Amino acid sequence: MAEKPTLKLYNTLTREKADFTPIDAKNVRMYVCGPTVYDFAHIGNARPVIVFDVLNRLLRHVYGAENVTYVRNITDVDDKINARALRDYPGLPLNDAIRRVTEKTETQFIEDAKALGCLDPDVQPRATENIVQMVEIIQTLIDKGHAYVATGSEGKEVLFSTGSMADYGALSKRKLEDQQAGARVAVEEHKHNPADFVLWKQSAENEPGWDASFTVEGVSQSIFGRPGWHIECSAMSGRYLGDVFDIHGGGLDLIFPHHENEIAQSRCAHGTPVMANVWMHNGFLQVEGRKMSKSEGNFVTIAELLHSDVFGGRKWPGEVLRLAMLMTHYREPIDFSIKRLEEAERILKRWNLVAEQHAPANDAALDGEVLDALADDLDMSKVVARLHALAKETEGSAERLAASLKFLGLWFPSAAWRKDEPVLQDDLKAAIDALVEMRLEMLKAKNFAEADKIRDQLVAQGIQLKDGKDPATGERVTTWEVKR
Ligand code: AMP
Ligand code: ZN
């Protein structure tokens, strides 16, 4: 068996790649920010899901599956969810409508992640099931002088006092003074500092909320309200992974403000020098140079790619989407295109044709070079190059290729893709032949309207006709094919 490699990870906190040493090799802990469940996940959202799934698999291989705890949360309280609930279920009481939106979206997300070959995280906590923990942290922050209650335009708020933390901004390397000077947001009078952010905010009667009371300087104040976004992750990571854990991940856009503020809350509440030792961020998936996002309106959902024809006129298997994502280093941007998906599919089919002869293979047969490349900050370009080499060598390497593909979640045996090839029943073929024949007769009879009608009908069914001439007789002949 290949030797267990030493992991090297790039850490956003230090802007350096360094050897990874877990706090406790018997419980290696990773937290990744999960989706806000108001709308189906787009393929950009799939990137952290896939990237950190690969890291999770690697950690499990190196430290033993039973010694790794991977937590990915579900954000099911957010103003975007409220807006969506009002739009989609205007007849329902708001809380019921919200539950409909979040349950449906969460179920779809979990299905999507599975279809993309991702293992389930060990814990998938929901924000709404951790409200007590959030209120507790907020109270601790108030007690330690890191938070205060103020009244803004929409009622009472508990705010984090950024000025109370000496090194606020260390992750994103933003200085508080610069933020003040460059602040373009309207100055909110109730904040001590423009960068202060919401921990808890009052809800109107018709908004979702929880009863909470906070003690400020010995006086108890009840605020029926809801949490801010950042406090959710501090509460959930603290509850399941402890005050300080090993790895925290998410997309590049989360560095500021989300992760910066998670760090501020957790460190100030727990009095620790770090929240997580290693901070990892995936690059963006882009379309024509622009970030794929809902606000840009240039997104396609994972479910659409898997189950409909909206992208390139066909469905794409989850394994193909997964490889298309992994072909580029996780910190680099990806330009998402049909060409990329076609290339991923070609490669995947080739590798699996070779590997298939040696299935089933297990972790024991894993290729050492593949592992070493993964251990080097998930260097997938090297992994892909190595898999190409394994697919070329004739002796003994197919088994290692099979094991590596399985390990990476790229096992795609021919049964899975050949069944997608258009296989037509014989009688269906005969029916199409008969219609094509009928159209030829109509053409001969110069009944063009009827002939065109038949052609259009077939095209609508995905059957493309091609007219030609029989070289011997000069007669019109028509062939057909299934358009993909
Ligand atoms: P959101 O639901 O917007 O909070 O995003 C969920 C996760 O997807 C976060 O880790 C984001 O950083 C990540 N993400 C969102 N858009 C993209 C994108 N276009 N490319 C890569 N990651 C993204
Ligand atoms: Zn988070």
Side-chain angles (χ1 to χ4, degrees):
M1 183 160 94
E3 244 181 65
K4 303 272 160 111
T6 303
L7 266 60
K8 275 190 193 313
L9 300 173
Y10 181 85
N11 188 351
T12 308
L13 210 52
T14 57
R15 307 289 196 270
E16 270 174 6
K17 192 158 82 175
D19 283 359
F20 171 70
T21 315
I23 299 165
D24 173 5
K26 290 272 170 242
N27 186 16
V28 183
R29 289 159 285 164
M30 173 162 78
Y31 184 94
V32 174
C33 297
T36 303
V37 286
Y38 71 101
D39 201 353
F40 289 1
H42 61 67
I43 189 69
N45 299 133
R47 195 166 187 197
V49 177
I50 294 172
V51 164
F52 291 103
D53 175 66
V54 171
L55 182 55
N56 180 36
R57 285 165 184 258
L58 182 63
L59 291 171
R60 290 175 123 75
H61 176 77
V62 173
Y63 297 98
E66 67 285 6
N67 299 325
V68 175
T69 310
Y70 173 28
V71 180
R72 187 184 60 215
N73 73 290
I74 303 271
T75 294
D76 60 349
V77 45
D78 187 283
D79 289 355
K80 289 196 283 281
I81 299 175
N82 308 347
R84 186 57 62 104
L86 285 169
R87 190 195 82 180
D88 289 357
Y89 303 99
L92 285 183
L94 182 62
N95 283 332
D96 294 346
I98 285 174
R99 197 162 329 110
R100 292 265 183 109
V101 170
T102 56
E103 277 175 3
K104 184 170 112 189
T105 316
E106 182 187 317
T107 307
Q108 182 68 48
F109 175 76
I110 290 171
E111 260 175 41
D112 290 350
K114 263 211 178 70
L116 294 170
C118 299
L119 306 174
D120 282 337
D122 300 290
V123 194
Q124 296 197 67
R126 294 189 190 93
T128 52
E129 290 167 3
N130 288 272
I131 301 289
V132 174
Q133 286 73 14
M134 295 177 208
V135 172
E136 265 173 32
I137 300 185
I138 296 170
Q139 182 62 55
T140 306
L141 290 170
I142 295 172
D143 293 344
K144 292 189 172 180
H146 292 295
Y148 58 94
V149 178
T151 303
S153 57
E154 288 170 42
K156 282 189 185 177
E157 288 176 351
V158 186
L159 294 155
F160 184 89
S161 166
T162 46
S164 74
M165 184 186 188
D167 57 349
Y168 178 83
L171 179 73
S172 58
K173 307 238 182 290
R174 290 173 184 229
K175 290 211 181 72
L176 212 47
E177 305 86 83
D178 301 346
Q179 289 179 49
Q180 269 167 300
R184 252 181 274 152
V185 284
V187 178
E188 294 170 282
E189 297 289 344
H190 67 301
K191 290 187 177 180
H192 296 175
N193 188 308
D196 292 356
F197 55 91
V198 167
L199 300 169
W200 188 263
K201 62 179 161 192
Q202 193 169 3
S203 293
E205 251 171 58
N206 61 347
E207 285 174 330
W210 289 261
D211 286 316
S213 72
F214 301 99
T215 306
V216 186
E217 289 167 7
V219 182
S220 170
Q221 299 198 31
S222 292
I223 308 177
F224 171 76
R226 58 199 192 279
W229 172 29
H230 319 304
I231 196 70
E232 301 179 8
C233 288
S234 284
M236 290 183 271
S237 61
R239 177 169 179 185
Y240 294 101
L241 300 178
D243 295 355
V244 179
F245 52 94
D246 296 295
I247 300 171
H248 192 315
L252 213 56
D253 56 333
L254 298 187
I255 295 176
F256 189 87
H258 185 53
H259 288 168
E260 197 70 81
N261 292 348
E262 279 188 35
I263 290 174
Q265 296 161 161
S266 293
R267 282 186 49 204
C268 289
H270 303 134
T272 53
V274 292
M275 175 185 184
N277 282 336
V278 184
W279 288 77
M280 294 177 67
H281 294 96
N282 64 267
F284 285 142
L285 191 143
Q286 305 181 325
V287 184
E288 284 157 11
R290 282 157 55 216
K291 175 188 169 189
M292 180 181 277
S293 75
K294 283 172 195 150
S295 52
E296 293 266 359
N298 61 352
F299 73 96
V300 53
T301 67
I302 303 167
E304 282 170 338
L305 287 162
L306 289 168
H307 309 296
S308 84
D309 293 345
V310 299
F311 200 75
R314 53 162 291 193
K315 300 182 177 80
W316 298 96
E319 293 86 350
V320 171
L321 300 173
R322 185 174 171 96
L323 178 60
M325 202 72 85
L326 289 175
M327 286 190 315
T328 299
H329 193 284
Y330 78 92
R331 286 191 276 121
E332 299 289 327
I334 285 183
D335 205 30
F336 196 71
S337 63
I338 295 170
K339 216 170 118 225
R340 171 181 281 266
L341 293 182
E342 284 171 346
E343 194 191 342
E345 185 168 59
R346 233 180 356 257
I347 295 172
L348 201 57
K349 286 180 178 178
R350 218 187 87 67
W351 286 347
N352 278 277
L353 272 178
V354 178
E356 211 160 52
Q357 309 151 18
H358 285 265
N362 56 37
D363 269 21
L366 263 176
D367 180 70
E369 284 187 41
V370 166
L371 269 179
D372 286 346
L374 278 177
D376 184 10
D377 196 33
L378 306 181
D379 191 342
M380 280 301 299
S381 325
K382 259 196 237 156
V383 172
V384 168
R386 178 62 184 160
L387 293 176
H388 279 313
L390 289 176
K392 260 185 220 141
E393 288 169 21
T394 44
E395 279 179 39
S397 64
E399 193 181 353
R400 273 176 287 150
L401 178 64
S404 304
L405 291 175
K406 267 200 172 164
F407 178 75
L408 288 164
L410 295 172
W411 183 243
F412 191 46
S414 63
W417 44 273
R418 290 212 176 108
K419 81 171 171 3
D420 289 339
E421 310 269 287
V423 182
L424 288 174
Q425 305 293 329
D426 280 342
D427 48 357
L428 192 56
K429 275 190 183 145
I432 296 168
D433 283 337
L435 281 168
V436 170
E437 202 46 51
M438 199 191 296
R439 173 173 168 270
L440 282 175
E441 276 177 31
M442 293 297 155
L443 286 173
K444 262 194 213 144
K446 299 211 185 312
N447 187 349
F448 296 114
E450 202 54 38
D452 287 351
K453 217 156 114 192
I454 295 172
R455 188 199 55 211
D456 293 347
Q457 245 171 22
L458 286 167
V459 167
Q461 303 296 318
I463 309 293
Q464 190 75 60
L465 301 188
K466 221 165 150 190
D467 287 325
K469 260 193 185 135
D470 185 322
T473 64
E475 286 224 51
R476 182 198 289 263
V477 282
T478 301
T479 54
W480 58 268
E481 58 179 9
V482 181
K483 199 176 62 180
R484 295 223 60 175

